Amino acid sequence: MDAAVAAAAANGHGRGGAKRPNLVPEARRPRLGAGRGAQDPKRGSRSQRANSRPPSSMASCAEPSEPSAPLPAGVPPLEDFEVLDGVEDAEGEEEEEEEEEEEDDLSELPPLEDMGQPPVEEAEQPGALAREFLAAMEPEPAPAPAPEEWLDILGNGLLRKKTLVPGPPGSSRPVKGQVVTVHLQTSLENGTRVQEEPELVFTLGDCDVIQALDLSVPLMDVGETAMVTADSKYCYGPQGRSPYIPPHAALCLEVTLKTAVDGPDLEMLTGQERVALANRKRECGNAHYQRADFVLAANSYDLAIKAITSSAKVDMTFEEEAQLLQLKVKCLNNLAASQLKLDHYRAALRSCSLVLEHQPDNIKALFRKGKVLAQQGEYSEAIPILRAALKLEPSNKTIHAELSKLVKKHAAQRSTETALYRKMLGNPSRLPAKCPGKGAWSIPWKWLFGATAVALGGVALSVVIAARN
C-alpha cells in the first residue's frame, strides 16, 4: 500500500505540462455533472472549461519525472496532498471555481426556447375558479366619505356651522353658564352686512341672544372663527329687526369666540352689580317679547328675578334695595304678561299677586289679574278688580273696554245660570205664555167666568139679606 501511494505521488510530479489532475473527489463528480445537458451550449461543460484554463504555476514548475506504475485494482485515486498543502491560493481559487460552477448550475431552468413563455402555473386547487368568480361578483367596498365641512347642528339643515379658523391646540369649549365674549358679524343671505359687534358678552344657555348663537357657540373652541347659517326661526323670526333685518330673514353669522369665563357668584354680587345683571336679563326678555317669543321672554324675566331675590353676602344700601324692588316689580309684571300670552293662567295669577303684595295700587297688576280671572270664568271676582283699576286711572280706554265686555259676559252668565237652576228645580215661570194671534188687551176666559160667578154670588147674597130685613 505504501508503494502504491508513493507511485501515485511520483506520477503527479512527473506530468509536468500534462493535464492537471482533477481535485474534485470522485464521489462529487456525478452530482456536479448531473443535469448539465440543459446548460447553455455557449458555456460548455466543466471539463472543457478546465482544459481551456492555463496550467497552474505550481504544476508548470514541477520537475518532470518518470511515469509511475498504475494504481492497483480497487484503490481509488488520491488527491495531490503536496499541492494542496503547499499552495493556499490555489485551494481558494479551486473553491471559488466550484462555487461559481454551483451558482451557474442552470439545470433547474427551462430551455432557452421556453424563456419567452410564461412559467407553468402550479396545478389549481379544487374550487379555485369558483372562489375567483365569487370574489369578482362581490361589490367593491365604498370609499370612506370625506369629512364634511358643514356641521348640521340640529339635523334638519336649518342651522349649520363651518370652521373657518380652528382654535389653537389645547383650547377648550365653553359650557352652559359661562360668560363668553364673541366678535359677531351678521349678514343677509345675499352678503349684505347688517350688523357688527366687536365685543358681544352674554351668558351661554340663558337665552340672552338669538338661538343661533346660543346653540352654535358651545360647539366652538376658544380662539376659533366659524361661519353659521341659520334659518329665520333661529334668528329674529317673522318680526325681523327694524330697520336692517327684514321679516323671515335667514342670516349668516361670522363668529369669533374670544374668551369664556365662569359666571358670577350671585351671593357675592354688590347691589349695583345685581341691578346691572337684572336689567340686562330684563332687556333680553323685552327683546324676546317683541319678537313674540314668549317662552324665551318668560325665561329671561325669571332669571332676572332670580338675580334680584337670591341671598346676598354683601351689604347693600337702602337706595340699592329700593332699585332692586322696583326692578322686581317690573320683571314680575312682564313675566305675568308672557305667562298670560302662553295661557299659563295660574302662574300669571301668582305673578300678579306678588306684585300687588309690594304695590297694591299697581294698575298693570290689577288689570292683568282681572283679565286672568276673566279667562278662568271668574267674572264676579274680575269685575271689582277692574273697577278698582279704572278708579285709579279713569281715562284708560283699555280698562273701560275690558270692563264693559266683562259686564256683558257676566249678565249673560247670570241669566244662563238662572234658567238652568229653574230647569233643575222644576219651577217654570209663573206668568203664562202669551197666545199668538191675541192682542195684549184680551182677557183669559177663566178669569172672566170667575168674575161673573163672583158677581152673581154677590147679587144673590144681597137679595137674601134684604128679604130678612
Side-chain angles (χ1 to χ4, degrees):
M1 180 64 68
D2 295 338
V5 173
N11 188 21
H13 288 283
R15 293 178 183 175
K19 183 179 179 179
R20 205 176 145 187
N22 196 348
L23 300 180
V24 180
E26 193 73 19
R28 294 185 59 185
R29 290 179 188 174
R31 185 177 62 83
L32 293 175
R36 298 211 178 168
Q39 290 182 356
D40 189 351
K42 296 180 181 181
R43 294 179 57 89
S45 63
R46 176 181 174 186
S47 60
Q48 293 174 356
R49 295 197 307 270
N51 292 335
S52 63
R53 296 192 192 102
S56 62
S57 59
M58 184 63 68
S60 61
C61 293
E63 295 181 358
S65 60
E66 298 180 357
S68 59
L71 294 175
V75 178
L78 299 180
E79 298 179 355
D80 196 344
F81 289 100
E82 294 180 2
V83 175
L84 295 177
D85 291 340
V87 184
E88 297 177 357
D89 295 339
E91 180 182 0
E93 291 177 359
E94 292 291 334
E95 291 177 358
E96 292 177 0
E97 290 175 1
E98 291 178 3
E99 292 176 0
E100 291 176 0
E101 291 173 358
E102 291 178 0
E103 292 175 358
D104 295 337
D105 187 4
L106 304 177
S107 60
E108 301 296 333
L109 300 177
L112 291 177
E113 58 269 19
D114 297 333
M115 292 298 290
Q117 300 179 358
V120 180
E121 297 181 357
E122 297 181 1
E124 296 182 354
Q125 299 181 358
L129 292 177
R131 288 193 295 270
E132 292 179 1
F133 176 75
L134 293 176
M137 293 297 294
E138 291 181 358
E140 296 183 358
E148 297 183 358
E149 295 183 355
W150 287 96
L151 173 63
D152 193 351
I153 297 176
L154 299 178
N156 55 7
L158 301 180
L159 183 61
R160 302 187 304 161
K161 169 186 170 291
K162 178 182 178 181
T163 300
L164 301 179
V165 180
S171 58
S172 59
R173 292 185 174 183
V175 296
K176 182 179 179 180
Q178 286 188 323
V179 178
V180 297
T181 303
V182 300
H183 180 199
L184 176 64
Q185 297 179 6
T186 305
S187 305
L188 301 178
E189 284 185 312
N190 58 8
T192 304
R193 182 170 296 179
V194 295
Q195 184 182 9
E196 182 173 2
E197 298 187 47
E199 298 286 339
L200 177 61
V201 181
F202 62 94
T203 303
L204 201 60
D206 282 3
C207 304
D208 293 346
V209 291
I210 57 177
Q211 285 184 292
L213 279 177
D214 235 355
L215 294 174
S216 59
V217 171
L219 302 177
M220 298 176 58
D221 297 328
V222 176
E224 177 183 342
T225 300
M227 177 67 69
V228 179
T229 60
D231 187 73
S232 62
K233 66 183 296 184
Y234 302 110
C235 299
Y236 294 99
Q239 284 76 25
R241 187 175 184 181
S242 180
Y244 304 110
I245 301 177
H248 301 285
L251 298 179
C252 297
L253 311 175
E254 184 176 336
V255 188
T256 301
L257 180 57
K258 292 185 174 182
T259 60
V261 297
D262 293 335
D265 186 2
L266 297 180
E267 294 183 348
M268 302 304 297
L269 293 179
T270 62
Q272 291 301 323
E273 290 174 343
R274 283 177 182 269
V275 171
L277 178 60
N279 259 324
R280 189 162 62 247
K281 298 298 181 184
R282 184 180 64 86
E283 291 173 358
C284 292
N286 293 343
H288 292 311
Y289 191 91
Q290 291 174 359
R291 295 197 300 268
D293 199 341
F294 305 115
V295 174
L296 297 182
N299 180 75
S300 296
Y301 295 138
D302 191 60
L303 291 173
I305 295 171
K306 182 180 178 181
I308 295 171
T309 59
S310 61
S311 59
K313 296 182 179 179
V314 180
D315 295 335
M316 290 183 289
T317 62
F318 179 77
E319 290 77 9
E320 292 174 346
E321 291 181 353
Q323 287 180 347
L324 290 174
L325 181 58
Q326 288 295 117
L327 195 55
K328 179 182 178 181
V329 169
K330 292 180 181 179
C331 292
L332 285 171
N333 263 328
N334 295 345
L335 178 61
S338 301
Q339 293 166 342
L340 191 59
K341 291 289 186 179
L342 296 171
D343 296 337
H344 298 168
Y345 300 126
R346 292 185 178 178
L349 187 61
R350 183 169 57 252
S351 299
C352 293
S353 300
L354 290 174
V355 174
L356 294 174
E357 288 180 3
H358 299 291
Q359 295 179 356
D361 295 335
N362 190 289
I363 297 176
K364 291 183 178 180
L366 289 172
F367 173 74
R368 291 190 176 114
K369 185 175 182 179
K371 196 170 182 179
V372 170
L373 292 173
Q375 292 289 344
Q376 293 179 333
E378 302 292 341
Y379 299 116
S380 59
E381 297 182 17
I383 291 175
I385 294 176
L386 290 178
R387 284 176 178 170
L390 187 61
K391 185 178 180 180
L392 294 172
E393 193 173 345
S395 61
N396 195 314
K397 296 181 179 180
T398 304
I399 300 177
H400 266 291
E402 188 68 24
L403 182 58
S404 300
K405 184 171 63 175
L406 290 185
V407 169
K408 293 179 181 179
K409 287 184 177 180
H410 185 49
Q413 183 185 40
R414 289 185 62 183
S415 61
T416 303
E417 290 177 354
T418 302
L420 181 62
Y421 292 153
R422 287 175 180 174
K423 185 177 180 180
M424 292 174 60
L425 298 175
N427 185 17
S429 177
R430 287 176 288 181
L431 295 176
K434 295 182 179 180
C435 296
K438 293 185 178 181
W441 51 269
S442 61
I443 301 175
W445 63 272
K446 292 182 179 180
W447 288 17
L448 184 59
F449 177 77
T452 303
V454 171
L456 292 176
V459 171
L461 182 62
S462 61
V463 172
V464 171
I465 294 174
R468 286 183 179 180
N469 294 331

